Amino acid sequence: MTHDPEILTERLKTFVPSRFYLAAAVTGVVALAWVIQGTEELDRFLAICVMATLSGLLYRLLLHFRKVRLTAYLFAPLDFLLITGAVAVTGWSSGGVLIFHMWSIITAGMILGPEMAILFGLASIGVTFLGASQQVRVPAPHELQNFELFHSTGIAVVTLITFALVRQLDQTVQRQEMLREAMKKERDQLDLEVARRTEDLVQANRMLDARTTLLAFQRRQAEETNHVQNLFLASLSHEMRISLTSCIGFVDLLTQGVYGPLTPRQQDRLLGAIDRLRDLQSLSHEVIEMTRLEATRGELTLVELDPVAAIWALREELEKAVRSRLTGCTVYLELPGTGFSVTSDRELLQHITLNLLLGMLKGMEGSALALSVAKEGTREFVIRVEERGREAVAVDPKLSSEGLQSGAMQETIPRIELGGQQALIGDGHGLYIVRQLVGMLGGSVRVMSETRGARSYAVVLPLSPSRAWMSLDGRRLEGSGNELLLRPEALKRQLESLEHELESVIVALRGVFDGFPLPLFLYDKSGVLLVRNDACQTALESPSIQVLKHTFQEIFHPQEAALAARILKSVSEGQACRFEWHPPPTGGSSTVPWQGIHSPVLDAQRRVLYGVGMLLPLTSPMEKDFFQTLEPGLAALLGFLPWREGQGESVFASLTPPA
Amino acid sequence: MPIRRPTVLVVEDDAHNRTFLIDLLLAYGFNTLVALNGEEGVMVGIQASPDLILMDLGLPVLDGWTATRRLKAHPQYGGAPIIAVTGWTRPQDEELARAAGCDAFVRKPFLARELLSVMESLLGRTG
């Protein structure tokens, strides 16, 4: 039997109604025939037809009350019996009724299974032969009439076909059932997975929402703080200006004699007072600049522009700045006749120029300043403000206290060289601002001072940023082409590597210096003292090394990092270092020039000792004692021995000084 | 025929700054009127019809921007130019002042000649 109750029910629902209507129709026809011409045979046949109709009704009722299995068990067998009964009452001569056995074969196969189709087929064939044996016209059972043979063959064919088809149908149904099961399982799994992922997503969204809310809150807080800070600073600047107005104003009126005549000395002193008050005013301006700087950090608008034209456009503001000085000064605008092209931020460039000039004006002692801009080499351009001595020659064009001469830009004039040596000087606020602004463009500031006091500030900027990179604090800056200014990840790695080397240097140097009876000093080639051993205790003298050792990760500005990297590089690569030692107080000190030594061995600790070396004539017992404290490797590194791996013999006997 | 001395209305709440401005104006031959806040400034500006107004922007009672707008909108306003005088240095301050109707903008602190040159140019324009 077909096991699936749904399929069984479906099949019965297909057969049962049609079975009932067919039986009822046949009954109706037979009844009509009986009415017209009733015979005994017809009586019996009609009775069978009525029973068939009633059984059809029974099937329908049973199915209606969901007695599916009972219906299935009754359907085909009962029909087979009824059909056989119908054949019997018609004298076994109704071949047409026999054909109805095909109905029971097919229904048996469909409802009870393909095997039952064979059983019913055989039974039908049996009935056919039984009928043939019962018929009068059949003389002997072994002599089959053509009809019976044809009929039996037909039954057999139908049976086999029914068997094959039903079997295939059942297999298909089974496969479909299996597929449905598998799909259901997959769907259930998918539903579970979807539910799980949905839950994960919901969680993730919740976390994201929470984080977004937190970030938004933090951003709002930061913005509010920034806003409050800016408001405070703006208000502070405003209040300062209010007070300065009357201060400068009264002094100004005094100098003009509004309150009565003044002596020349009084006049001079009051003019100086105005200048100092102006300095105070510029402080408030610097406060505003610094807040603006903080607000615009990282927001660069790089365009191709002519810096000469950009600076020329500033002349009104420059004139105001000059006019505000009462002690009398002249600013020369030395701009080339033809401009040149750079890629930069126009507003930032103008800020730099203005702040450069204001910074110089503030502490000016000379009577003239020269502001110039020129290309330098193929990669940079320079904005320079120089203080000129009183002997400076005034050449047109100029910005003077009396007013600005309008006209085209003039040719470059030779500058008066004031000389001086390069030194890093502590910054005023204005120069600090300039450095910050210049740093945003990847440039640098050079400050020169001369013993007579004349100053020169030069801002060196790239013609165009060579590549974009991010600074360690995440600001977007344009590189100046200095190859030490790497991308922060690489820079960090390099710094970490150099820090490791530095530690090795320190360890090695301690190994050399500690316990040595004489004071020893190690300098780098710039004359910066790196390490000292005074009173037999080694100390790291160099502030750079101290800074680097303890605050390595706190270097934010790429230029500071570059400086640190350069120092370490020179130490690690054995570029000229001076090693100085001082004999005991009874003797004088002697300084021996250095020769760098490079070791072919790439061991980190030994490599950094490139910078450690000395040339001492090995003539005194003191010096020999010193070398006896060295391990053989160090001795080799210092040039007194050729380096050999794993050497263990005593080397001191063969020590000879290098040439 | 005696030369008519221009009259300048000084609207300034800070006493020292007010004194400095008055001293300056008198020294340079101007007649002066004074108001201590924006509301007074509007009143005096309408009633006295000065030749020029120096308007501080950060004023009590009525700020300088609003006072300027009211003066310029008043039907009886004589049309005197108004110079905004302020210690605020925000970029939007000058824009706001000019939008309110100020004819010039001078930032504090300033030297006498800086203010005078602006005044001369405005008075010259208005005759």
Side-chain angles (χ1 to χ4, degrees):
Chain A
M1 178 185 286
T2 304
H3 293 290
D4 191 297
E6 277 183 27
I7 295 173
L8 192 59
T9 307
E10 283 303 310
R11 287 180 184 176
L12 285 170
K13 277 183 181 174
T14 305
F15 288 121
V16 163
S18 52
R19 156 69 173 74
F20 171 73
Y21 292 127
L22 185 65
V26 170
T27 304
V29 168
V30 172
L32 187 64
W34 179 77
V35 165
I36 294 169
Q37 191 179 356
T39 62
E40 197 178 323
E41 190 178 303
L42 211 54
D43 283 345
R44 290 197 289 271
F45 192 67
L46 181 62
I48 297 289
C49 289
V50 168
M51 277 196 287
T53 306
L54 287 173
S55 62
L57 190 61
L58 175 67
Y59 299 148
R60 291 198 79 170
L61 281 170
L62 285 173
L63 205 58
H64 176 74
F65 289 110
R66 297 185 193 279
K67 304 292 180 189
V68 174
R69 283 196 181 269
L70 185 59
T71 310
Y73 283 131
L74 277 179
F75 192 87
L78 189 56
D79 276 8
F80 184 86
L81 287 173
L82 285 170
I83 293 163
T84 305
V87 168
V89 301
T90 56
W92 304 99
S93 61
S94 173
V97 180
L98 273 171
I99 286 175
F100 277 102
H101 271 146
M102 289 185 192
W103 163 264
S104 61
I105 291 166
I106 291 169
T107 53
M110 291 292 282
I111 293 166
L112 298 175
E115 298 78 15
M116 295 311 288
I118 294 190
L119 186 66
F120 274 65
L122 289 171
S124 296
I125 292 170
V127 168
T128 303
F129 279 100
L130 179 65
S133 67
Q134 293 298 317
Q135 285 183 34
V136 175
R137 60 184 174 88
V138 177
H142 64 277
E143 287 180 2
L144 293 172
Q145 294 292 324
N146 284 342
F147 170 77
E148 282 73 20
L149 196 63
F150 172 76
H151 189 260
S152 300
T153 307
I155 292 285
V157 167
V158 166
T159 302
L160 287 172
I161 290 171
T162 303
F163 173 79
L165 283 177
V166 171
R167 197 165 162 175
Q168 180 141 14
L169 188 66
D170 280 353
Q171 279 174 354
T172 306
V173 166
Q174 221 172 7
R175 263 200 305 274
Q176 278 179 348
E177 198 54 39
M178 279 168 60
L179 279 171
R180 221 189 328 263
E181 281 297 320
M183 271 178 63
K184 187 170 177 301
K185 264 188 201 157
E186 284 290 318
R187 197 167 39 240
D188 290 342
Q189 288 234 337
L190 202 62
D191 286 342
L192 275 172
E193 189 64 24
V194 164
R196 193 176 64 78
R197 293 282 174 96
T198 304
E199 184 58 33
D200 287 347
L201 207 59
V202 165
Q203 285 290 343
N205 275 345
R206 271 195 214 122
M207 281 179 62
L208 193 65
D209 284 342
R211 275 197 201 132
T212 306
T213 307
L214 181 65
L215 276 174
F217 172 71
Q218 286 173 342
R219 186 169 48 241
R220 270 198 310 275
Q221 273 201 324
E223 280 168 2
E224 275 173 28
T225 306
N226 198 38
H227 179 65
V228 165
Q229 185 184 8
N230 286 343
L231 275 179
F232 169 72
L233 290 171
S235 173
L236 180 67
S237 168
H238 173 249
E239 293 303 319
M240 280 175 71
R241 286 173 168 268
I242 298 293
S243 302
L244 282 171
T245 302
S246 44
C247 288
I248 293 176
F250 286 136
V251 173
D252 187 20
L253 292 181
L254 275 167
T255 62
Q256 292 182 47
V258 168
Y259 303 115
L262 296 174
T263 66
R265 198 166 174 220
Q266 286 172 336
Q267 179 90 2
D268 181 63
R269 295 302 182 268
L270 284 174
L271 288 174
I274 288 188
D275 280 345
R276 295 287 84 77
L277 288 167
R278 283 297 198 190
D279 290 345
L280 207 57
Q281 177 196 342
S282 76
L283 268 177
S284 73
H285 165 78
E286 281 154 11
V287 162
I288 296 296
E289 282 294 288
M290 282 182 66
T291 59
R292 201 177 297 161
L293 187 69
E294 287 300 316
T296 59
R297 249 184 220 286
E299 295 170 16
L300 294 178
T301 308
L302 296 175
V303 297
E304 202 163 309
L305 57 97
D306 179 2
V308 175
I311 291 171
W312 181 249
L314 272 182
R315 58 193 184 284
E316 200 177 303
E317 285 206 54
L318 293 175
E319 185 181 11
K320 267 191 199 166
V322 170
R323 279 187 164 184
S324 69
R325 306 294 297 187
L326 289 185
T327 48
C329 72
T330 305
V331 173
Y332 296 94
L333 210 55
E334 295 173 4
L335 302 177
T338 37
F340 53 94
S341 183
V342 305
T343 304
S344 192
D345 184 305
R346 181 187 303 275
E347 203 180 314
L348 197 54
L349 203 63
Q350 288 175 331
H351 266 308
I352 288 169
T353 308
L354 204 54
N355 279 285
L356 200 63
L357 186 72
L358 290 175
M360 185 69 96
L361 273 175
K362 204 159 59 171
M364 205 175 93
E365 293 180 11
S367 64
L369 290 178
L371 171 65
S372 63
V373 58
K375 213 166 157 179
E376 198 165 87
T378 56
R379 297 171 76 178
E380 293 172 331
F381 69 104
V382 180
I383 302 170
R384 185 175 279 111
V385 177
E386 293 174 297
E387 196 174 12
R388 296 196 177 166
R390 293 179 189 277
E391 65 273 20
V393 176
V395 178
D396 284 336
K398 65 180 181 182
L399 291 172
S400 69
S401 309
E402 288 75 39
L404 170 67
Q405 274 192 6
S406 63
M409 293 178 280
Q410 302 297 315
E411 296 297 319
T412 307
I413 58 168
R415 295 192 302 276
I416 295 172
E417 294 294 331
L418 296 175
Q421 63 187 35
Q422 190 170 6
L424 293 173
I425 303 174
D427 297 338
H429 295 104
L431 201 53
Y432 171 80
I433 290 169
V434 169
R435 282 183 192 279
Q436 299 299 308
L437 294 172
V438 165
M440 288 172 75
L441 289 174
S444 61
V445 177
R446 286 202 293 255
V447 176
M448 288 195 283
S449 69
E450 204 260 350
T451 49
R452 283 176 294 161
R455 293 167 298 161
S456 170
Y457 294 166
V459 164
V460 182
L461 292 165
L463 286 177
S464 69
S466 54
R467 55 183 177 272
W469 56 287
M470 299 290 294
S471 71
L472 287 174
D473 65 353
R475 285 176 293 145
R476 188 174 183 277
L477 302 175
E478 300 298 325
S480 67
N482 183 335
E483 62 188 39
L484 279 179
L485 299 179
L486 306 173
R487 291 187 182 278
E489 296 80 18
L491 180 61
K492 270 191 178 170
R493 278 199 296 278
Q494 188 182 23
L495 290 177
E496 279 161 14
S497 160
L498 288 173
E499 183 184 20
H500 176 69
E501 289 190 42
L502 175 64
E503 287 293 334
S504 303
V505 169
I506 292 166
V507 166
L509 288 174
R510 281 196 195 283
V512 171
F513 280 45
D514 274 346
F516 190 66
L518 302 176
L520 293 175
F521 301 87
L522 174 67
Y523 297 86
D524 71 6
K525 70 170 180 177
S526 304
V528 176
L529 177 62
L530 299 178
V531 186
R532 64 184 294 158
N533 177 13
D534 234 349
C536 306
Q537 284 195 343
T538 308
L540 298 173
E541 274 299 321
S542 164
S544 296
I545 288 190
Q546 296 282 11
V547 166
L548 291 171
K549 187 175 176 356
H550 297 294
T551 63
F552 224 86
Q553 298 307 320
E554 295 171 16
I555 293 175
F556 289 110
H557 199 284
Q559 288 178 342
E560 292 170 14
L563 179 62
R566 275 198 287 273
I567 290 175
L568 283 175
K569 209 173 171 190
S570 69
V571 170
S572 68
E573 287 184 358
Q575 294 172 29
C577 289
R578 190 172 77 245
F579 191 80
E580 191 175 271
W581 70 284
H582 296 269
T586 50
S589 67
S590 71
T591 304
V592 182
W594 155 255
Q595 282 183 7
I597 297 172
H598 292 265
S599 165
V601 179
L602 293 181
D603 178 79
Q605 188 176 19
R606 295 189 173 90
R607 195 158 66 91
V608 300
L609 291 177
Y610 286 176
V612 180
M614 58 189 211
L615 292 173
L616 289 175
L618 293 176
T619 55
S620 70
M622 255 184 319
E623 289 143 357
K624 277 196 175 156
D625 284 342
F626 168 70
F627 284 109
Q628 279 182 7
T629 68
L630 296 177
E631 59 142 340
L634 276 176
L637 279 170
L638 293 175
F640 296 99
L641 276 182
W643 172 254
R644 284 196 302 275
E645 284 285 348
Q647 55 193 5
E649 71 253 27
S650 168
V651 300
F652 300 112
S654 60
L655 286 177
T656 53
Chain B
M1 187 175 166
I3 297 172
R4 180 181 162 273
R5 289 155 53 122
T7 303
V8 177
L9 168 61
V10 175
V11 188
E12 170 64 67
D13 61 320
D14 183 83
H16 293 296
N17 289 346
R18 197 167 55 239
T19 306
F20 153 64
L21 285 170
I22 291 168
D23 287 350
L24 167 67
L25 292 168
L26 289 175
Y28 280 87
F30 293 95
N31 290 328
T32 59
L33 296 168
V34 167
L36 303 186
N37 58 58
E39 199 175 295
E40 268 185 30
V42 172
M43 205 166 60
V44 175
I46 300 300
Q47 288 174 0
S49 290
D51 297 296
L52 186 117
I53 301 176
L54 297 178
M55 179 78 76
D56 182 24
L57 295 179
L59 293 167
V61 184
L62 192 70
D63 64 69
W65 294 279
T66 312
T68 303
R69 269 195 289 273
R70 286 193 187 174
L71 275 168
K72 292 280 187 170
H74 202 283
Q76 289 172 347
Y77 179 58
I82 300 176
I83 301 175
V85 183
T86 180
W88 288 110
T89 55
R90 299 168 302 184
Q92 63 268 33
D93 292 320
E94 183 168 350
E95 285 166 23
L96 287 170
R98 291 197 187 271
C102 292
D103 300 280
F105 189 88
V106 172
R107 276 210 167 90
K108 291 173 180 173
F110 48 83
L111 294 172
R113 62 167 183 269
E114 290 169 9
L115 178 64
L116 286 168
S117 74
V118 174
M119 285 172 62
E120 276 167 25
S121 68
L122 286 175
L123 286 170
R125 243 184 271 157
T126 59

